[in-house]
Amino acid sequence: MLTIHAADELRHTWDDPAPVKDGAVVVEGARVAATGSLADLQERFPGARVRRWPGVLGPALVHEGPLPEAPTPRERVHAVLKLGAVAVLEEYAGTAELRAAAERNDVVVLASAARRPAVLQTGRADLAVFDETGACVATVCAGRLVHRRR
């Protein structure tokens, strides 16, 4: 099933010098199938489900600090997803329970923060949408919508 995630603006990286107005990302399974303007992608992929988000769509983040406090490891991982991140640093996911919760939710555990998040064709579909206040509106992790603000 194809899903098009669209927003007021698409940035392939958060410092993208040429963002796409009314941009979108086509997600097929866990991968990015295409990026571009919403109009072009709807023409290329007729029948795809469209999710329209207010704000700026770009790569999901790497959470670089301790995971938020919560009663369970699953809730701690979910709190990270609500922030627009789909990766955490290994040093902050030090328990077997946290690593297992991250794995079950397709959250990547990284040895270092050297990874530069980007939206790339055929890359893993890890996306986040932020509104004008910087609040996370939606998070897509490995192609699955895992958070949306109501």
Side-chain angles (χ1 to χ4, degrees):
M1 175 181 192
L2 294 173
T3 302
I4 299 174
H5 293 275
D8 304 327
E9 183 176 280
L10 165 65
R11 295 186 182 183
H12 290 89
T13 62
W14 286 110
D15 59 355
D16 189 344
V20 178
K21 297 291 181 200
D22 292 318
V25 176
V26 177
V27 174
E28 183 173 25
R31 298 281 169 199
V32 172
T35 65
S37 73
L38 175 58
D40 289 344
L41 294 179
Q42 283 182 299
E43 188 175 304
R44 285 179 53 200
F45 299 93
R49 178 182 187 175
V50 176
R51 289 189 175 268
R52 180 98 171 127
W53 307 105
V56 179
L57 170 64
L61 306 175
V62 175
H63 187 76
E64 295 185 14
L67 278 66
E69 289 299 321
T72 67
R74 184 195 70 76
E75 290 170 297
R76 292 181 76 187
V77 168
H78 186 71
V80 168
L81 294 168
K82 288 171 57 175
L83 296 172
V86 299
V88 297
L89 297 181
E90 185 176 66
E91 68 184 281
Y92 299 113
T95 69
E97 294 84 7
L98 274 175
R99 285 190 303 278
E103 184 177 316
R104 280 192 306 275
N105 288 282
D106 291 319
V107 171
V108 178
V109 178
L110 300 171
S112 75
R115 174 182 155 195
R116 180 183 160 123
V119 178
L120 303 170
Q121 190 159 336
T122 73
R124 190 172 123 140
D126 291 334
L127 310 169
V129 182
F130 295 94
D131 69 13
E132 67 280 350
T133 69
C136 183
V137 174
T139 307
V140 174
C141 180
R144 292 181 305 112
L145 179 63
V146 293
H147 163 69
R148 72 172 170 224
R149 189 177 71 200
R150 297 190 189 264

